[in-house]
Amino acid sequence: MSHSTSAATSRLTVAQALVRFLSAQYTARDGERHRLIAGTWGIFGHGNVAGIGQALIEYGDVMPYHQGRNEQAMVHAAVGHARQLDRLSAQAVTTSIGPGATNLVTGAALATINRLPVLLLPGDYFATRPADPLLQQLEHPGQFDVSVNDTLRPVSRYFDRITRPEQLIPSALQAMRVLADPAETGAVTLALPQDVQAEAYDWPEEFFAERVWTVRRPAPDPAELTEAVRAVRAARRPLLVVGGGVHHSRAEDALRALVDATGIPVAATQAGKGSLRHDHPADLGGIGHTGTAVADDLARGADLVIGVGTRYTDFTTASGTLFQHPEVRFLNLNITAFDAHKLAARTVVADARAALEALGEGLAGFRVDPAYEAEYRAGKERWERVVESAFGAADEDAVPTQTQVLGALDAVVGDEDVVINAAGSLPGDLHKLWRSRSRRQYHLEYGYSCMGYEIPAAIGVQQAAPDTLVWALVGDGTYLMMPTEIVTAVQERLPVKLVLIQNHGYASIGGLSESVGGERFGTAYRYRAADGTFSGAPLPVDLAANAASLGMDVLRAKTVRELREALVTARATDAPMCVYVETDTSGSGPAAPGVEAWWDVPVAETATREAAVRAREDYDRQVAGRRHHL
């Protein structure tokens, strides 16, 4: 990426120079090229309206602009875009100072936790301080260089504040390096004081030259690979645990080739689900607290756990209680050494596809014992019957349960459709039951499990894949957090499909509250009763009417039959559409099976209420099974 130096310059403002620079950045991997910054989301106020806002007008022919309604939602849309394109392309997000900037924090945390690139361009206070304080300024009496944008430091992989025009050149280049680096990527923040944005400077023309950032595929170290092959060959009950790194690396074909040759079964984290098609004989579905019975049973008896592109959250490990074989060891294939070394594992620090291909070559001739293969295939068949039972509909005129909603959707979606979810009770049901048919169909944001993610993320995915049908599954709790981007979908004419499920409360946290002695306190959407509890009638909230008021066509479904017909209608339209359904929460209809593995949520050590006392007794039994893998 070296460039010759010349005396040619262009006199532009800092904001104009930044936008022009961003429009000339590209990524390349395996001969495929993408715009690194494909567009910019923005909500304008003082702090960016006269700087970045003016620059986006100036260079509107090379930098697409998208209008958002909520700053956090704009980041979610950018994250959805980046994930759909395997982190090879990102979007920028610009905001004003003050609340516009702090609204970025949740989205930035989500991006960094999930290792997904997004460029944040919040406005900042005057670098020259002509007026002090100014509107929305945080006054710190002992640190005058602190602004609200410093809240973005801990959730950004790279952060800089541009207080002089010439600082932009090295900082912008470093920002692009981090965004394009698969081992370092996440949220990148360039805080831009509003006076500096509007300041003119003579920029060297080389700054605006087209740059291509190579997205590397580092190969395994030969010594690490040798040890990895030896470990797999010595294992009697190996298990592959695949995470989001398989998708980001486009390593699905390499994974399938390895599994076909060796017979090693595969269990998936939320981010890794879909790495194998659901009907592959070695695909066991989800693992961990929300995993399938067959996956979790095999995990308990695995003597070698091979993690590929996963960071082993507590949901995956059942808070350290899942992998119970007395001699269990771990082998981790990961592009980051930080993740590869977890659980005291043998490591192969490399790109997931390169590592899987090399491991497959080293394992030529190896295959698991036929009895082991027969065992997990029989378990998979048993679990398929569980799925059919949860999806089934004995009465077409009945009010559907939540799992019947998933079953109806399963019958309608195409193989390449994308299904998006993030929070509530749906992630658990989906992880257990959803039958993924393609590599990007299953889009669960569970690194941060952020309520409000689904609708804006669907917009970002639709922008990244305009010919793909995109479904956002949203419960009433998450819908009430962030429905505003419906307006953006309508404005941009993006045909996203919203499946809005009304169950009158926080179903997931309600169940968790009950299990840990919280007695479902504060989790239902109901009137306050005379005794002060929220046990009265459900609130008369009409979320379908709300979605319609924001410009979306809405189909209301009351029965299983009406739901299926509405989903078919929605899929056939080229406009944004919402299918609204109120689910049966009586507990009498088909439902997802209970959890297969524990999750550590500490319970009150002392209490007078019987529910909490019983919950603590169960907690003490469960926590006794925790292991530290050393």
Side-chain angles (χ1 to χ4, degrees), residues 241-245 269 307-313 316 332-334 339 342:
V241 175
V242 296
T269 70
V308 187
T310 179
R311 56 193 190 91
Y312 287 112
T313 70
T316 299
N332 291 337
L333 284 56
N334 206 294
D339 290 315
K342 288 176 178 176

Side-chain angles (χ1 to χ4, degrees), residues 70 72-84 106-107 110-111 114 116 248 418-423 440 442-461 471-475 477-483 485 498:
N70 176 286
Q72 178 182 322
M74 294 192 297
V75 185
H76 292 340
V79 166
H81 170 98
R83 177 170 173 170
Q84 182 65 23
T106 297
L110 182 150
N114 285 285
L116 291 165
H248 300 327
V418 176
V419 177
I420 299 175
N421 187 244
R440 278 298 184 197
Y442 188 86
H443 182 128
L444 257 287
E445 188 290 294
Y446 217 62
Y448 210 43
S449 187
C450 186
M451 297 176 73
Y453 172 83
E454 295 91 343
I455 297 173
I459 290 170
V461 171
W471 302 83
L473 304 187
V474 182
T478 192
Y479 178 86
L480 287 169
M481 289 279 182
M482 200 169 294
E485 298 316 301
L498 170 62

